[in-house]
Amino acid sequence: MNFSTWPALLVVDVEGNGTHPPDLVEVAALPVRDGNLDTSTAGAWLICPPRPVTPYAARVHGLTNEVLAKAPAWREIADQVHGVLGTAWICAHNAHVDYRALTAHLPKWAPAGSLTPSASPMPRTRTCRHTDSTP
């Protein structure tokens, strides 16, 4: 497979505090370059949300109010996160959820598109399928 023709792609994951709408408590972005994960340029941020993490959300992702108490507020890292995300395609477990959470917090961010992993006919492999990320 010729990965040199692939557009910029990031594997992205976000976690929220369990409120509606959610406040972000974690954002991670892992670039895929030449078909390989590029951990040297990955970004991961913990965020102290303006509202407390709900007990349910803490059980899901393990991030508690105590763990996040010393993390920066979103406004302190938003530009850095935006810079790492750039205009790359994003691939995420539930890309439409991550896309909506990120665009709510980064209204000027516009990725090239989003992909959600789907089961492949080949055992133990994953592929990505395009999803409509429009709000």
Side-chain angles (χ1 to χ4, degrees):
M1 183 174 281
N2 182 2
F3 294 110
S4 66
T5 61
W6 281 29
L9 175 67
L10 293 168
V11 178
V12 174
D13 188 39
V14 302
E15 301 295 344
N17 65 339
T19 61
H20 295 283
D23 297 317
L24 296 178
V25 297
E26 182 178 36
V27 175
L30 180 60
V32 178
R33 303 211 196 289
D34 299 321
N36 297 302
L37 299 174
D38 181 4
T39 57
S40 70
T41 59
W45 301 267
L46 291 178
I47 303 139
C48 183
R51 297 175 288 176
V53 176
T54 66
Y56 176 78
R59 284 193 304 275
V60 169
H61 52 56
L63 298 171
T64 64
N65 294 306
E66 293 75 23
V67 168
L68 299 169
K70 293 188 179 179
W74 175 249
R75 68 183 177 282
E76 297 174 58
I77 62 163
D79 289 341
Q80 184 182 8
V81 173
H82 192 186
V84 169
L85 294 175
T87 59
W89 278 80
I90 63 166
C91 183
H93 174 68
N94 284 309
H96 66 285
V97 173
D98 296 75
Y99 173 87
R100 285 188 179 127
L102 286 167
T103 55
H105 289 81
L106 294 169
K108 294 181 181 176
W109 174 63
S114 65
L115 304 164
T116 295
S118 61
S120 168
M122 295 180 279
R124 291 186 282 169
T125 62
R126 303 290 278 177
T127 59
C128 288
R129 64 180 166 83
H130 179 265
T131 59
D132 180 8
S133 302
T134 55

